[in-house]
Amino acid sequence: MDATGGRGLGGAARLQANGPPLPPYEVLPTGVSMEELPRSTTVLLEEPPRPPRDHLVWSLFTTLYGNFCCLGLLAFVFSVKSRDRKMLGDYSGALSYASTAKCLNITALVINIIVVVIVVTIVALALEGVLSHMNPPPSYRPNPFSGGT
């Protein structure tokens, strides 16, 4: 037994002053050497980081259907650059270009929604004005043909 009262734990169970705790260990019996024990190897497999999204399809649709001030075209260019960086394995560059493409797509989408709302409002007001001139309001004069005396 050691000073901590545990069998074979010694100083390994205690925290080191500048690092994580050491794993517990046992003292080898006196008649056994290290060469006689079976050896094992531990391999840690880490998944590679997921590549960032390049927003290429979104940029393509923004270019085709909502290219306000060429924002869709710029988003498409940055999406292609992001895809190129991703294929080269430069994930930080790909993430930078992809975030720029995403911001441009969102900006183009918001501007297009505002433009559509303004156009629909103007068309609705114009139609209301045209229809109100075609059908004059009813007159409130007495009708001479009603037959009243």
Side-chain angles (χ1 to χ4, degrees):
M1 284 207 213
D2 61 1
T4 60
R7 184 166 176 234
L9 292 177
R14 287 181 257 135
L15 288 175
Q16 286 183 335
N18 59 356
L22 294 173
Y25 66 92
E26 292 185 26
V27 179
L28 287 175
T30 55
V32 179
S33 68
M34 285 294 290
E35 287 78 30
E36 297 173 5
L37 294 175
R39 297 181 183 238
S40 64
T41 304
T42 303
V43 178
L44 298 176
L45 297 176
E46 293 184 13
E47 291 184 20
R50 290 185 52 206
R53 297 181 61 187
D54 53 15
H55 308 290
L56 188 68
V57 175
W58 186 12
S59 299
L60 181 66
F61 282 115
T62 303
T63 302
L64 294 176
Y65 298 114
N67 198 12
F68 183 78
C69 291
C70 295
L71 289 177
L73 184 62
L74 283 173
F76 186 72
V77 168
F78 278 101
S79 294
V80 170
K81 285 183 177 186
S82 173
R83 179 161 286 192
D84 290 344
R85 289 281 134 199
K86 183 169 61 172
M87 293 301 162
L88 291 175
D90 180 16
Y91 291 140
S92 64
L95 185 63
S96 173
Y97 284 130
S99 65
T100 303
K102 183 178 178 181
C103 289
L104 289 170
N105 280 321
I106 290 172
T107 304
L109 179 67
V110 168
I111 290 173
N112 285 326
I113 289 173
I114 291 171
V115 167
V116 166
V117 167
I118 289 172
V119 167
V120 167
T121 304
I122 290 173
V123 168
L125 290 175
L127 281 177
E128 184 209 350
V130 167
L131 292 177
S132 67
H133 288 299
M134 289 179 63
N135 297 327
S139 65
Y140 295 106
R141 291 179 280 141
N143 191 350
F145 301 108
S146 65
T149 52

